[in-house]
């Protein structure tokens, strides 16, 4: 299944099973893992590739369901769950840099009810506290750009760091210095850490996309993607040409009492009448006020909502809000002091002109609607997936219908509904094709899907080959859609094994004759192919297309095979044919076990696998584990629990600076744990996982060469939970 199919299935599932407590334990565990895998992929698309395919609203639905499962079944929680760390990832190319105060993200709300509920919760917290704190609501625009930390030392712009995962981001100082609206030098020699948003003006995006199209490059879907793509260019002269802008909206740390505006930094305020309110109803009315939306639409940069900040009445005007920030605190992900109200997504009607059927790597047919092109927030839309025939039936979509399409910001557009009122009688029902559009084999119906079951179907083969080289599988760079298509047409690529014959001299000669295949490209492809032979078994198991096996199960199988000390293909096949044993592996049900066993019993597949082994691909699970251990030795990881004379964050930062990895929660691979006073349940976990522990101050100082003050008798103040606001 593709990511978008899995996502839609999960969203449907959540809709039908809003209450996870009613799920049986197997289904719960399965759904949980599925959610994690899916969210990790979406995080990657959002943070690394800057090309998300779902709306924030859908993302939040998946995420909160994951959180619900973890609440009712904490034993399921795994370290790679997106709830276990701030969301976000780091890409290659820039040096990493730590945020001294974590940059949290805001919790999103989408309607008046969300805002009212939130308001009630905050009031309860404030009532419980003894402090007599009176507050008002301050409304600010929510910029749709790239969030980052900007640091001035002695009045000089010294560093800029992307948000990254909230704790660690990328050092983009050199590129941020090209932003003209951001002063390189302040009028006073102050030290200040700020949070700001880097954006591309709308007018700049249109110009940039025109010139990109002229060069045959993909245009950027929106200003946020364009800003993200631009600020991470490695050539800062090129960044300067992109005319990015930056607004500052929060002070993280400062040695002055001045406001952002007084310091002379670029800010953007809403008109006075939309700024301050003393009750939530006025806030809601303003959020829904079309006059405010119009005002924001007229600006030359994008907003995706509004931010509502609880502000202490005694400290207005953007002064330090430490007191109320401390009082309301933060959850692991979000500061409680502020909430984002997200604008509803944009919609448009479009006419279906025809229907295509795409064949996936498992033979599933996906109906795709070709549209009469429409423009939605600057992007032309001419195709949209209809997912499957149940979807078409449920939405009552006919060929020739007008459909309502939605996209919020950057996501791939999707169909919300048909618009029956616009029918003129020429529309027709959409039927699955009788024959596969690629190989003309009769189509078979099974569950909600229609399949081409021809094992030699060229469309399926192409998708299988694309998956084999994909990032999650053997990660063979350089083989895109068009190259694989070309090599298939040239009869050079008909199975996985053919990748490894491309390196033969006679085939290299053939490759050289193809358009756009220079010596350099061929040698790059060949070195990538050679490299793929050394990839760990879990990747290979994911790559070869075992039915119903994804990344996670491939990993589980690989771990299992390592326990069985499997070092070659023959012993691997013997283990994986045994359905009884497979069924005992956690997370693998009877059906999957049967599928795996059938796969490794097929003579045709075995023939292919032995070919791969002869080409030198790695079928040893033991090797796989060994390389894991080697990796871990290079990057020992640690966890911290209890209280120390220094905040845990500061201790962690000292260790991270020495190259250790930080595990927020101890996991099986955690190398050691520092234990302070009043340690909690993490100590039990350390025992469970047999993690080496250190609880003696002198020993810790000596072993890790870190600065740890002598404990003091008087109570040290609790460090403020790092916050945005
Ligand atoms: Zn076919």
């Amino acid at each position: 299944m593709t990511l978008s199919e899995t996502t839609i299935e999960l969203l449907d599932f959540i809709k039908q099973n809003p209450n996870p407590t009613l799920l049986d334990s197997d289904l719960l565990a399965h759904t949980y893992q599925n959610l994690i895998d899916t969210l990790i992929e979406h995080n990657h698309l959002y943070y690394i590739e800057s090309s998300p395919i779902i709306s924030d609203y859908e993302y939040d639905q998946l995420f909160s369901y994951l959180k619900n499962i973890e609440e009712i079944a904490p034993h399921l929680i795994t370290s790679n769950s997106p709830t276990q760390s701030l969301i976000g990832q780091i890409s290659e190319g820039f040096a990493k840099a730590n945020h001294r105060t974590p940059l949290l993200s805001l919790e999103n709300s989408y309607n008046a009810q969300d805002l009212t509920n939130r308001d009630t919760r905050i009031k309860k917290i404030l009532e419980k506290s003894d402090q007599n704190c009176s507050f008002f609501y301050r409304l600010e625009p929510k910029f749709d750009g790239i969030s980052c930390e900007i640091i001035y030392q002695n009045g000089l712009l010294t560093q800029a760091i992307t948000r990254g995962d909230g704790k660690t981001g990328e050092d983009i100082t050199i590129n941020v210095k090209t932003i003209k609206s951001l002063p390189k030098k302040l009028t006073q020699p102050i030290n200040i850490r700020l949070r700001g948003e880097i954006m591309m003006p709308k007018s700049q995006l249109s110009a940039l996309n025109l010139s990109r199209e002229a060069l045959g490059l993909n245009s950027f879907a929106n200003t946020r993607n364009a800003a993200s793509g631009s600020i991470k260019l490695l050539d800062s002269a090129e960044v300067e040409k992109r005319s990015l802008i930056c607004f500052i909206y929060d002070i993280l740390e400062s040695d002055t009492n001045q406001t952002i505006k007084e310091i002379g930094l670029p800010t953007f305020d809403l008109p006075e009448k939309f700024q301050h309110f003393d009750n939530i109803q006025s806030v809601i009315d303003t959020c829904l006020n079309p006059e405010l939306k119009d005002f924001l639409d007229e600006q030359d940069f994008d907003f995706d909502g509004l931010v509502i900040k609880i502000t202490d009445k005694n400290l207005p005007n953007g002064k330090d809000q430490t007191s109320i920030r401390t009082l309301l605190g933060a959850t692991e992900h979000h500061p409680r002091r502020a909430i984002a109200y997200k604008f509803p997504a944009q919609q448009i009607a479009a006419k279906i002109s025809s229907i295509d059927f795409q064949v996936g790597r498992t033979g599933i047919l996906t109906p795709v609607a070709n549209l009469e092109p429409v423009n939605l927030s600057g992007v032309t839309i001419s195709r949209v997936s209809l997912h499957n025939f149940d979807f078409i039936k449920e939405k009552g979509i006919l060929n020739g219908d007008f459909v309502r399409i939605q996209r919020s910001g950057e996501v791939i557009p999707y169909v919300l509904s048909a618009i029956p009122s616009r029918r003129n009688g020429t529309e027709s029902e959409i039927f699955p094709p009788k024959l596969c559009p690629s190989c003309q084999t009769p189509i078979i119906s099974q569950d909600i899907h229609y399949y081409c079951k021809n094992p030699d179907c060229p469309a399926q083969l192409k998708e299988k080959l694309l998956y084999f080289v994909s990032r999650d599988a053997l990660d063979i760079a350089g083989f895109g859609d068009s190259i694989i298509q070309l090599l298939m047409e040239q009869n050079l690529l008909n199975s996985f094994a053919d990748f490894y014959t491309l390196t033969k001299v006679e085939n290299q000669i053939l490759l050289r004759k193809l358009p756009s295949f220079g010596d350099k490209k061929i040698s790059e492809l060949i070195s990538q192919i050679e490299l793929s032979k050394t990839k760990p078994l879990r990747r290979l198991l994911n790559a070869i297309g075992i039915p119903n096996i994804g990344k996670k199960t491939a990993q589980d199988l690989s771990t299992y095979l390592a326990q069985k000390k499997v070092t070659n293909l023959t012993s691997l096949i013997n283990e994986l044919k045994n359905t009884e044993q497979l069924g005992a592996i956690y997370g693998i049900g009877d059906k999957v076990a049967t599928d795996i066993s059938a796969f490794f019993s097929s003579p045709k597949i075995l023939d292919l696998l032995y070919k791969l082994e002869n080409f030198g691909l790695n079928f040893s699970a033991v090797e796989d584990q060994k390389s894991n251990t080697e990796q871990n030795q290079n990057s020992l990881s640690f966890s911290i629990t209890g209280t120390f004379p220094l905040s845990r964050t500061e201790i962690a930062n000292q260790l991270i600076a020495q190259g250790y990895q930080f595990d927020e929660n101890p996991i099986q691979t955690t190398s050691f744990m520092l234990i302070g006073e009043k340690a909690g349940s993490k100590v039990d976990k350390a025992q469970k996982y047999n993690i080496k522990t250190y609880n003696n101050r002198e020993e810790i100082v000596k072993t890790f060469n870190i600065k740890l003050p002598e404990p003091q008798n008087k109570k040290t103040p609790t460090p403020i939970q790092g916050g945005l606001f």
Side-chain angles (χ1 to χ4, degrees):
M1 269 201 285
T2 64
L3 178 60
S4 93
E5 284 164 358
T6 320
T7 308
I8 286 165
E9 264 198 15
L10 276 170
L11 287 169
D12 278 352
F13 180 85
I14 292 171
K15 216 195 285 170
Q16 283 156 21
N17 305 281
N19 185 356
T21 48
L22 303 175
L23 304 178
D24 72 46
S25 61
D26 273 1
L27 187 57
L28 194 71
H30 175 77
T31 309
Y32 178 71
Q33 196 52 55
N34 212 349
L35 278 166
I36 290 179
D37 291 346
T38 306
L39 285 166
I40 288 175
E41 299 247 338
H42 286 303
N43 284 346
H44 182 89
L45 289 175
Y46 185 97
Y47 289 102
I48 305 298
E49 314 219 330
S50 307
S51 58
I53 61 164
I54 55 170
S55 65
D56 292 355
Y57 176 66
E58 290 167 310
Y59 183 92
D60 289 344
Q61 281 185 304
L62 298 175
F63 192 82
S64 66
Y65 202 77
L66 181 78
K67 277 204 292 195
N68 288 346
I69 294 183
E70 293 186 342
E71 263 163 40
I72 58 172
H75 64 278
L76 289 177
I77 299 177
T78 64
S79 62
N80 70 342
S81 164
T83 62
Q84 298 302 298
S85 64
L86 288 160
I87 305 156
Q89 292 173 44
I90 316 281
S91 58
E92 307 296 323
F94 287 92
K96 289 175 192 177
N98 292 330
H99 297 292
R100 203 148 81 183
T101 342
L103 302 193
L104 301 178
S105 67
L106 294 184
E107 193 158 353
N108 290 329
S109 66
Y110 292 91
N111 53 46
Q113 191 57 50
D114 282 351
L115 290 176
T116 316
N117 294 346
R118 167 55 73 92
D119 184 57
T120 315
R121 289 215 299 275
I122 285 175
K123 282 197 179 128
K124 261 189 201 150
I125 296 176
L126 290 179
E127 268 166 25
K128 259 193 220 159
S129 75
D130 298 336
Q131 294 172 43
N132 205 350
C133 178
S134 57
F135 65 90
F136 63 86
Y137 303 90
R138 181 180 155 81
L139 215 52
E140 294 181 5
K142 187 170 184 305
F143 301 112
D144 196 8
I146 306 306
S147 176
C148 63
E149 177 178 358
I150 291 170
I151 302 164
Y152 287 89
Q153 282 175 334
N154 288 320
L156 295 176
L157 175 57
T158 52
Q159 201 177 23
I161 310 167
T162 61
R163 178 168 173 272
D165 63 4
K167 294 173 195 156
T168 306
E170 292 158 276
D171 187 320
I172 49 166
T173 314
I174 183 162
N175 287 347
V176 167
K177 281 185 174 172
T178 69
I179 298 175
K180 294 194 178 63
S181 61
L182 199 65
K184 262 49 81 192
K185 189 177 174 194
L186 303 175
T187 51
Q188 310 148 65
I190 54 170
N191 296 305
I192 191 164
R193 288 169 178 263
L194 302 143
R195 184 144 176 200
E197 196 98 349
I198 296 167
M199 288 181 290
M200 177 172 286
K202 292 193 247 183
S203 52
Q204 172 65 18
L205 176 68
S206 325
L208 177 64
N209 275 349
L210 273 180
S211 66
R212 285 177 71 86
E213 276 157 30
L215 293 169
L217 299 169
N218 287 337
S219 49
F220 286 110
N222 62 14
T223 54
R224 187 207 302 172
N225 288 3
S228 170
S230 300
I231 202 67
K232 292 186 185 175
L233 288 170
L234 293 173
D235 177 358
S236 53
E238 195 51 41
V239 181
E240 188 161 14
K241 290 185 200 157
R242 300 282 172 96
S243 307
L244 298 171
I245 50 172
C246 178
F247 288 109
I248 303 295
Y249 58 85
D250 197 29
I251 297 177
L252 299 165
E253 279 176 43
S254 170
D255 62 7
T256 152
N257 270 331
Q258 290 173 302
T259 64
I260 298 167
K261 208 177 263 175
E262 285 162 359
I263 296 166
L265 289 158
T267 60
F268 181 88
D269 285 334
L270 296 177
E272 192 68 38
K273 62 176 171 179
F274 296 133
Q275 276 190 22
H276 303 109
F277 304 95
D278 53 16
N279 65 78
I280 193 69
Q281 192 51 49
S282 313
V283 173
I284 292 169
D285 292 345
T286 309
C287 285
L288 302 173
N289 185 341
E291 199 191 328
L292 173 56
K293 187 75 172 63
D294 287 347
F295 166 80
L296 294 175
D297 285 344
E298 280 164 19
Q299 308 303 317
D300 193 23
F301 31 90
D302 282 314
F303 304 91
D304 59 351
L306 295 160
V307 178
I308 301 142
K309 287 184 183 173
I310 311 288
T311 303
D312 193 329
K313 262 192 180 150
N314 302 317
L315 301 160
N317 299 331
K319 300 270 187 191
D320 184 14
Q321 291 284 333
T322 305
S323 55
I324 203 152
R325 190 188 292 166
T326 313
L327 202 54
L328 290 175
T331 66
E332 193 160 356
H333 291 276
H334 311 294
R336 288 210 188 86
R337 196 198 141 212
I339 183 168
Y341 169 77
K342 300 274 271 190
F343 290 135
Q346 290 153 310
Q347 297 176 9
I348 200 169
K351 190 177 192 314
I352 297 179
S353 53
S354 63
I355 306 285
D356 281 345
F357 298 94
Q358 284 178 348
V359 188
R361 74 183 168 109
T362 53
I364 292 181
L365 253 61
T366 303
V368 178
N370 294 307
L371 305 170
E372 288 180 3
V374 285
N375 193 295
L376 186 53
S377 51
V379 177
T380 304
I381 299 164
S382 55
R383 268 167 87 78
V384 61
S385 175
L386 298 178
H387 312 299
N388 57 56
F389 284 88
D390 269 13
F391 181 85
I392 294 175
K393 206 162 107 193
E394 187 190 309
K395 304 270 178 190
I397 299 167
L398 300 179
N399 193 353
D401 256 348
F402 275 90
V403 284
R404 189 167 287 116
I405 310 248
Q406 174 165 308
R407 81 190 272 273
S408 47
E410 60 298 309
V411 301
I412 288 180
Y414 56 98
V415 173
L416 280 180
S417 64
I419 311 174
S421 60
R422 296 193 66 175
R423 283 177 190 156
N424 62 14
T426 61
E427 299 76 16
S428 56
E429 208 176 319
I430 300 167
F431 293 107
K434 295 231 159 22
L435 302 175
C436 168
S438 172
C439 69
Q440 320 306 323
T441 306
I443 293 299
I444 290 161
S445 156
Q446 200 176 314
D447 303 328
I448 63 164
H449 291 298
Y450 289 83
Y451 291 84
C452 163
K453 293 270 179 181
N454 172 11
D456 301 318
C457 174
Q460 287 179 48
L461 176 62
K462 183 178 161 191
E463 296 299 321
K464 280 182 186 150
L465 294 170
L466 277 168
Y467 191 78
F468 188 80
V469 299
S470 70
R471 189 168 49 81
D472 281 345
L474 284 186
D475 195 14
I476 310 181
F479 287 94
D481 192 296
S482 54
I483 289 191
I484 288 198
Q485 178 74 37
L486 181 66
L487 295 176
M488 283 177 72
E489 282 163 11
Q490 298 295 323
N491 214 17
L492 284 164
L493 195 54
N494 294 308
S495 80
F496 301 146
D498 289 345
F499 282 110
Y500 301 92
T501 56
L502 286 176
T503 56
K504 283 187 185 166
V505 178
E506 61 267 34
N507 282 339
Q508 288 192 39
I509 293 168
L510 289 176
L511 285 177
R512 210 160 273 128
K513 289 180 186 158
L514 298 176
S516 83
F517 272 77
D519 283 346
K520 182 157 174 268
K521 181 165 177 175
I522 292 173
S523 76
E524 273 168 17
L525 289 178
I526 287 173
S527 72
Q528 281 290 325
I529 291 169
E530 290 299 329
L531 190 65
S532 73
K533 295 178 181 174
T534 63
K535 298 273 161 94
L537 179 62
R538 59 174 189 280
R539 283 181 170 274
L540 184 55
L541 287 174
N542 187 24
I544 53 180
I546 310 169
N548 296 316
I549 298 295
K551 216 160 65 172
K552 169 71 171 63
T553 315
Q555 167 80 66
D556 291 346
L557 286 179
S558 161
T559 309
Y560 168 77
L561 292 168
Q563 285 160 7
K564 296 279 176 183
K565 303 207 167 21
V566 163
T567 55
N568 60 49
L569 180 57
T570 305
S571 56
L572 177 145
I573 293 167
N574 284 335
E575 294 295 342
L576 295 187
K577 267 164 57 174
N578 187 333
T579 45
E580 228 163 84
Q581 284 192 42
L582 284 177
I585 302 174
Y586 181 74
I588 293 183
D590 288 349
K591 161 121 185 32
V592 177
T594 315
D595 282 349
I596 295 172
S597 168
F599 183 87
F600 286 97
S601 305
S602 151
K604 206 173 152 186
I605 283 162
L606 296 186
D607 179 52
L608 173 68
L609 295 180
Y610 277 110
K611 269 188 194 156
L612 293 179
E613 188 176 47
N614 284 335
F615 283 125
L617 276 87
N618 170 40
F619 281 92
S620 168
V622 179
E623 279 303 309
D624 202 5
Q625 294 294 309
K626 210 198 280 169
S627 72
N628 277 349
T629 328
E630 273 163 22
Q631 245 172 29
N632 290 342
Q633 275 164 353
N634 288 335
S635 54
L636 289 173
S637 64
F638 67 96
S639 190
I640 308 180
T641 186
T643 48
F644 294 86
L646 198 61
S647 86
R648 288 201 291 269
T649 313
E650 284 177 75
I651 298 173
N653 283 344
Q654 289 192 43
L655 287 169
I656 290 167
Q658 296 181 34
Y660 294 103
Q661 304 272 332
F662 180 43
D663 293 330
E664 177 75 46
N665 285 306
I667 51 174
Q668 219 141 14
T669 54
T670 304
S671 322
F672 61 91
M673 183 193 262
L674 307 186
I675 300 177
E677 280 176 40
K678 299 187 195 120
S681 61
K682 286 184 185 175
V683 177
D684 301 337
K685 275 200 187 166
Q687 273 170 357
K688 184 175 150 203
Y689 296 138
N690 214 0
I691 296 168
K692 185 162 173 51
T693 58
Y694 296 88
N695 53 15
N696 175 303
R697 183 189 162 273
E698 278 73 39
E699 192 187 4
I700 292 173
V701 170
K702 223 169 81 188
T703 314
F704 300 104
N705 190 27
I706 57 175
K707 295 195 182 81
L708 197 58
E710 297 276 358
Q712 291 170 354
N713 285 334
K714 68 170 191 251
K715 197 172 167 267
T716 44
T718 330
I720 297 163
Q721 172 93 35
L724 251 181
F725 302 101

